[in-house]
Amino acid sequence: MRILLLCSSFNGLTQRAWLELRRAGHDVTVELALSEQVMLEAAQLAKPDLVICPFLKEKVPTRLWQTQRTIIIHPGPPGDRGPSSLDWAILDGEPSWGVTALQAVEEMDAGPIWGYRTFPMPAEPPRKSALYNGPVADAAVELVAEVAAKAADPSFTPAPLDYRRPEVVGRLRPAMRHADREFSWEEPTDAVLRRVRAADGAPGGRTVLAGAAVRVFDVYRGPALSGRPGTVAGRREGALLVHTGDGSVWVGHLRRDEPGAVKLPAVTVLGEQAALAEERSGYSEITYDRSDSVGVVSFDFYNGAMSSEQCRRLTSALRYAVAQDTRVLVVRGGEVFSNGIHLNVIDSARHPQMEAWININAINQVCREIVSCTGQLVVTSIGGNAGAGGVMMGLGADRVLVRQSVVLNPHYRTMGLFGSELWTYTLPRRVGAETAQRLTQDALPVGAAEAAALGLADEVLPGSRLEFERAVLDYAERLAHDPGYGRLLAARRAQREEDERRKPLEAYRVEELAEMSRDMFDDRHGFAAARAAFVGKRKAEATPAHLAAHRELSGASAGAGVAESHM
């Protein structure tokens, strides 16, 4: 079928829907819902058999849903209505939640139901972003495929919304207001966690800290300390430990509650006030664990962004792990594996160009540690989405394992950068020069199955993130005890020595940085504007050139506008 995806942004969920529908053989056009006129023009140009809205904040124009079958993917169980579904689900401690595919009608979220999925909610309140990118996205992609199949069946009729039916468990909920997101540090830790996580990653929980009105993000349960609620009890790795009514929480990120403010590590936002706090233990973005044969370096950076300081700490952790007597090293990312350099920190620096330069050099050191490890076999565990330098960072390993639901964006072009992270060495080595050129220039998302087919990944493993990580550890243990382990390690060493003789890693690094210096300091491809637009979350105004060109090459209709994911 010809399918039009209407969306508010080409985010991870929309990319997964696009990949799934294309994999099933459909002709798919993606359009950004910039305005009512744009949406109507997009449908007129695409002439779709079906319109699906996997992530849409805007109201579907009446003329569109009256003339085209238009299906909304709503992040709530049947009967749930309103724009703040996930926020309320977390705040109210719902035991289960769901996703519903419903047909657009005049009344928002009240149309006939095409299908739904439900799932249990975790006992510990999840971050809204983790809930959305995890079980919600998984359910939504299943529903998108189901909707496409049902649309091809002329006998299918959707079920009218009927609150008397037992599966219709939701209700109309109002949009969450600023007052609903406010909290006091005098509240119990559980209440603080729930309030903040219901608003993470946007717009954040509202409160006052150290005399400043702030938005709070990225919180974790701290120790049962006694102290005046709202006072800072310590700091570590950019995070602050803050007293609550019955204990404490670690606060990873803050944003001053004022126009133009940017979300940054909490210590950075409070500045001198945070610097006075004592260094405490009990919080770490990077950990190392090992068995007799397998060592695991785990890192979980908020939204996958890696600042210069985070890169330096990860480099130190990798050097420690490489020096151990294990046989296999697993490099494991978090909810988001990595998206490369930290654009918010860069854009907020006194000298952004210099901070960008320091950041790219620091992440290059991480990549060098992975590539240069010849005393152990290295496995990269990609359980969450990855982009730009985050993808390239993982490619230096012997084995790259990805979770089935992962989306990779192995390109830099949309951010106006040539890229570094030794990609000119690691990417062609895996996929060949021609495919490497296509991936970096087309700048399109790659699903897990396609990544394996191309050689970007060695294996695709199913399951939840926890199930995936267990499977990776099993894989690493089997690799460590493989009868051919010695031969595999010798082959890694020999290949690295041969590659180094042919062209040293340092030569790749220098050549890449020569290009990056022109992008960062001379701004030859608009890095400054692209970075500012990303950090400021500015709405796209036109179709990015790489997606428009792809539509023309694939025969899809040209249309109005498509948003792009961050690097």
Side-chain angles (χ1 to χ4, degrees):
M1 288 188 297
R2 296 179 64 84
I3 297 177
L4 171 63
L5 292 184
L6 275 181
C7 57
S8 296
S9 76
F10 195 45
N11 64 358
L13 170 55
T14 308
Q15 290 181 12
R16 285 182 63 183
W18 181 78
L19 288 163
E20 176 65 26
L21 291 169
R22 284 167 51 86
R23 189 187 64 79
H26 300 294
D27 182 3
V28 188
T29 302
V30 181
E31 298 295 343
L32 186 68
L34 293 171
S35 68
E36 180 173 321
Q37 180 182 351
V38 163
M39 288 188 270
L40 291 170
E41 288 177 354
Q44 184 178 12
L45 288 167
K47 296 180 174 56
D49 302 305
L50 180 67
V51 179
I52 301 179
C53 307
F55 171 64
L56 187 67
K57 297 179 179 179
E58 295 75 18
K59 192 176 193 298
V60 177
T62 301
R63 188 148 55 95
L64 178 58
W65 62 257
Q66 284 181 341
T67 57
Q68 303 279 353
R69 285 185 301 180
T70 302
I71 312 303
I72 309 295
I73 306 298
H74 176 74
D80 179 79
R81 299 171 58 198
S84 305
S85 296
L86 298 184
D87 314 61
W88 288 117
I90 297 168
L91 193 60
D92 293 345
E94 296 286 352
S96 63
W97 203 240
V99 179
T100 305
L102 48 91
Q103 193 157 334
V105 295
E106 183 61 35
E107 198 172 355
M108 291 277 285
D109 304 329
I113 296 171
W114 281 59
Y116 66 94
R117 296 287 188 280
T118 58
F119 51 83
M121 290 280 279
E124 179 81 358
R127 284 203 308 226
K128 182 172 66 171
S129 57
L131 182 64
Y132 179 81
N133 292 319
V136 169
D138 292 344
V141 172
E142 286 184 14
L143 280 173
V144 165
E146 181 181 318
V147 164
K150 286 178 174 176
D153 179 3
S155 67
F156 171 75
T157 302
L161 177 62
D162 183 351
Y163 282 94
R164 295 170 297 181
R165 298 178 66 89
E167 69 272 17
V168 181
V169 296
R171 66 182 189 274
L172 175 63
R173 299 171 189 248
M176 196 167 274
R177 304 162 301 165
H178 286 313
D180 297 317
R181 303 191 188 279
E182 292 175 355
F183 71 93
S184 166
W185 297 108
E186 281 80 7
E187 295 177 48
T189 296
D190 285 348
V192 172
L193 287 173
R194 194 169 293 281
R195 186 75 60 177
V196 173
R197 288 180 177 173
D200 201 342
R206 298 182 84 196
T207 193
V208 174
L209 183 60
V214 293
R215 294 280 186 166
V216 182
F217 309 85
D218 189 25
V219 293
Y220 299 88
R221 194 180 302 275
L225 300 177
S226 59
R228 185 160 60 88
T231 58
V232 176
R235 61 183 171 86
R236 181 173 173 82
E237 297 182 359
L240 294 173
L241 185 63
V242 182
H243 288 292
T244 64
D246 63 353
S248 66
V249 292
W250 285 102
V251 176
H253 285 75
L254 295 170
R255 175 171 61 81
R256 291 190 178 272
D257 200 5
E258 57 191 39
V262 175
K263 188 191 307 183
L264 292 166
V267 168
T268 302
V269 173
L270 288 195
E272 291 182 5
Q273 295 165 295
L276 299 175
E278 65 174 312
E279 193 75 21
R280 301 285 293 247
S281 61
Y283 171 90
S284 184
E285 297 172 306
I286 304 168
T287 59
Y288 177 74
D289 298 285
R290 61 164 292 173
S291 65
D292 289 340
S293 303
V294 177
V296 183
V297 172
S298 301
F299 58 95
D300 195 352
F301 300 132
Y302 186 68
N303 288 340
M306 299 173 63
S307 69
S308 304
E309 177 58 30
Q310 288 168 320
C311 290
R312 284 190 282 267
R313 285 192 271 110
L314 183 53
T315 297
S316 296
L318 288 169
R319 285 175 179 164
Y320 176 83
V322 166
Q324 303 308 302
D325 61 353
T326 47
R327 294 162 68 87
V328 174
L329 170 61
V330 176
V331 181
R332 180 168 70 191
E335 178 187 324
V336 178
F337 178 78
S338 171
N339 281 314
I341 57 178
H342 203 309
L343 298 179
N344 281 24
V345 169
I346 290 168
D347 204 63
S348 301
R350 181 174 296 181
H351 301 291
Q353 298 93 331
M354 183 57 68
E355 180 57 37
W357 182 251
I358 293 169
N359 201 163
I360 199 65
N361 276 276
I363 199 171
N364 278 352
Q365 284 300 113
V366 174
C367 300
R368 180 184 284 272
E369 290 299 321
I370 295 171
V371 171
S372 300
C373 175
T374 56
Q376 304 180 46
L377 295 178
V378 183
V379 174
T380 302
S381 174
I382 304 181
N385 294 346
V391 177
M392 307 310 180
M393 185 176 77
L395 299 185
D398 298 279
R399 302 285 190 274
V400 177
L401 308 184
V402 299
R403 190 158 65 96
Q404 195 171 37
S405 60
V406 158
V407 175
L408 306 178
N409 279 276
H411 55 82
Y412 305 82
R413 192 160 71 92
T414 56
M415 197 51 63
L417 293 173
F418 176 83
S420 193
E421 290 97 355
L422 302 177
W423 79 265
T424 53
Y425 170 67
T426 58
L427 185 60
R429 185 181 62 159
R430 278 192 158 267
V431 304
E434 185 177 337
T435 301
Q437 174 77 3
R438 177 175 63 81
L439 289 173
T440 52
Q441 292 304 306
D442 286 358
L444 293 169
V446 177
E450 184 186 356
L454 291 172
L456 278 172
D458 295 291
E459 285 203 31
V460 177
L461 302 175
S464 66
R465 190 174 142 205
L466 181 59
E467 291 166 337
F468 169 79
E469 289 174 353
R470 286 172 177 163
V472 171
L473 291 180
D474 289 343
Y475 180 98
E477 289 287 353
R478 291 195 303 273
L479 187 59
H481 295 96
D482 190 302
Y485 174 85
R487 175 180 52 80
L488 293 171
L489 185 61
R492 175 177 173 83
R493 288 173 176 160
Q495 186 65 59
R496 181 81 282 282
E497 289 170 3
E498 180 184 339
D499 290 350
E500 191 68 15
R501 283 193 301 270
R502 187 172 65 251
K503 182 175 180 179
L505 274 182
E506 183 64 12
Y508 290 98
R509 187 185 75 88
V510 169
E511 289 172 355
E512 290 171 0
L513 290 178
E515 299 286 349
M516 289 289 273
S517 68
R518 297 175 66 191
D519 292 334
M520 290 176 170
F521 294 103
D522 299 339
D523 200 26
R524 61 175 174 172
H525 292 137
F527 172 54
R531 184 186 69 236
F534 169 76
V535 171
K537 293 179 170 50
R538 294 177 193 162
K539 194 171 183 179
E541 297 178 353
T543 305
H546 69 287
L547 286 171
H550 175 74
R551 280 206 295 268
E552 291 164 7
L553 289 171
S554 64
S557 301
V562 181
E564 56 199 43
S565 67
H566 71 289
M567 64 172 296

